[in-house]
Amino acid sequence: MAQAATETGIRPSALRQFWERWSGILVPILAVFTALVVGAFIIGITGADWQAAYIGLWEGAFGSPRAFADTVVRSTPFIICGLCVALAFKAGLFNIGAEGQLYAGAVAAVVIGTTLQMPAIFHIPAALIAGALGGAAWAAIAGFLKARTGAHEVINTIMLNYIALRMTDWLIRSKTPYILGDPADTTGARSRLIAETARLPGIQVGSSTILHLGIPLALILVFVVAWLLYRTTLGFEMRTAGTNPNAARYAGISVPRTIILAMAIAGGLAGIAGSIEVIGVRGALSADFFSGLGFDAIAVALLARANPVGIIFSGLLWGGLLTGARLMQVRASLSIDVIKIVQALIIMFVAADQIVRFVYRLPKRKPGEETQLSKGWGG
């Protein structure tokens, strides 16, 4: 690399400075590229045409105004839930409970959206606020247990995911009496429909896709979270407690309070995502509505290295992969599971970024550059 740099007139030191400065952006991009290359190799082994597969993937995700609209709508919950996970990462917490917090927020939004009657100007904010409070309260349980008893948030949030899912299923399917379920729905698989005054307004693209108000709200939340983390005292306390709890205590920061607040705010973000999906996309809630979404949010946050602005792009990538998978499946006669393989490869190369650095001769990661996940069991 040094010889090539000398031949082009670029000093090795200057080139190294360039790699060091931009490696935080280059590594995720190269990880995605490497995953697609390995994915193409796997597709080729199956006997399918990898070029047709990837052309179908691109066209299905971004090839037309409707495809792009579908991708944006599909990406919105990934972006907001990615913020939820990233904020917890910054506080040294591994929040695996985004899915349970999604359900808690969605249930709260359904209650407000189906039982109250008020003008849309009040009904929509009420449903969104209810969703945020539902998700925050659900996440605060794990935060309280972590702060007061040392119980690890990974175990707590996983268990709370199951509780939220089963409770939602019971609330929807219960018929004696009906709680959230719709008596008019013979399958018993969904809640009552959200009132029109609580539905998010939007612009229709194509026959079914609606670019709803939750999309700009997701972008606003990105910059709100970035401002909170890097421009406020609370954000500084979260990052300090996440990096070194002992130093935070020495500086007078209440680590238990910071843990509870971080989890509550993260859960509130997931709750907003759940309420947006209910009042902006489906108009009702079903028990399998968010299957896997909360866990995919972890991948979105990791791909963006817990950077709020980067989550916009990683969320769009994740939504694009899922939206384009259908056309890829048709064009190349492939199983849709190939997309899951590509997603897994992306996360593998992002998590084991030293592989990417070695392959592309990037400088080794400096100490402290890795994404902070958790301070350890009972820490």
Side-chain angles (χ1 to χ4, degrees):
M1 185 176 71
Q3 182 179 356
T6 303
E7 290 174 357
T8 57
I10 302 174
R11 292 181 302 169
S13 59
L15 188 61
R16 185 172 184 84
Q17 288 176 0
F18 172 82
W19 288 127
E20 290 178 349
R21 181 177 181 180
W22 297 104
S23 63
I25 297 175
L26 288 172
V27 168
I29 293 174
L30 291 173
V32 173
F33 173 76
T34 307
L36 291 173
V37 170
V38 176
F41 177 73
I42 294 172
I43 292 171
I45 290 176
T46 67
D49 185 346
W50 66 269
Q51 290 179 313
Y54 281 164
I55 291 173
L57 178 64
W58 172 262
E59 292 182 355
F62 304 104
S64 67
R66 179 180 174 179
F68 182 68
D70 285 340
T71 295
V72 170
V73 172
R74 190 74 178 269
S75 301
T76 300
F78 291 124
I79 292 172
I80 302 177
C81 288
L83 292 173
C84 157
V85 176
L87 188 143
F89 280 168
K90 293 295 186 181
L93 300 165
F94 200 168
N95 180 17
I96 299 187
E99 191 144 334
Q101 295 146 27
L102 275 164
Y103 276 108
V107 167
V110 166
V111 171
I112 297 300
T114 58
T115 59
L116 299 184
Q117 297 294 328
M118 60 180 75
I121 194 172
F122 300 116
H123 209 173
I124 292 172
L128 290 171
I129 292 170
L133 292 176
W138 201 253
I141 297 172
F144 178 83
L145 292 173
K146 168 78 171 182
R148 297 303 179 188
T149 70
H152 203 281
E153 70 277 4
V154 169
I155 298 298
N156 293 330
T157 51
I158 288 175
M159 294 301 103
L160 285 168
N161 281 345
Y162 286 112
I163 294 171
L165 174 59
R166 299 308 172 195
M167 186 178 294
T168 301
D169 188 59
W170 171 73
L171 289 171
I172 291 173
R173 296 184 185 277
S174 176
K175 297 181 179 180
T176 53
Y178 285 94
I179 302 176
L180 292 182
D182 188 353
D185 179 28
T186 57
T187 65
R190 65 166 174 81
S191 70
R192 293 188 294 275
L193 296 176
I194 301 294
E196 286 298 321
T197 52
R199 296 295 302 269
L200 288 175
I203 301 172
Q204 185 165 336
V205 180
S207 59
S208 59
T209 304
I210 296 178
L211 294 174
H212 53 74
L213 193 62
I215 296 167
L217 178 58
L219 298 178
I220 291 171
L221 288 174
V222 167
F223 294 101
V224 168
V225 170
W227 171 80
L228 172 67
L229 286 173
Y230 300 107
R231 293 290 185 269
T232 68
T233 302
L234 178 59
F236 173 77
E237 291 176 349
M238 288 181 185
R239 291 184 289 114
T240 303
T243 303
N244 192 329
N246 292 327
R249 292 188 189 95
Y250 185 79
I253 297 171
S254 173
V255 175
R257 167 184 166 273
T258 303
I259 289 173
I260 295 172
L261 280 176
M263 284 298 295
I265 295 171
L269 290 167
I272 291 173
S275 60
I276 286 175
E277 285 298 290
V278 168
I279 68 176
V281 180
R282 301 293 181 89
L285 176 64
S286 57
D288 60 348
F289 191 65
F290 302 115
S291 179
L293 198 157
F295 293 101
D296 283 343
I298 299 172
V300 170
L302 284 174
L303 182 58
R305 293 176 170 266
N307 182 295
V309 176
I311 285 172
I312 296 174
F313 303 101
S314 60
L316 279 171
L317 171 66
W318 221 251
L321 287 173
L322 294 176
T323 303
R326 291 170 293 184
L327 187 58
M328 184 187 81
Q329 184 180 18
V330 173
R331 291 282 181 85
S333 300
L334 280 170
S335 168
I336 201 168
D337 291 332
V338 171
I339 284 297
K340 296 295 182 183
I341 295 173
V342 172
Q343 289 176 327
L345 288 168
I346 289 172
I347 297 309
M348 184 185 74
F349 287 124
V350 170
D353 65 337
Q354 296 291 31
I355 298 174
V356 175
R357 292 175 184 273
F358 173 78
V359 171
Y360 296 99
R361 300 296 190 268
L362 297 178
K364 291 184 178 180
R365 183 179 59 210
K366 295 179 180 179
E369 283 187 347
E370 66 275 2
T371 301
Q372 175 69 51
L373 297 185
S374 176
K375 295 309 294 181
W377 297 93

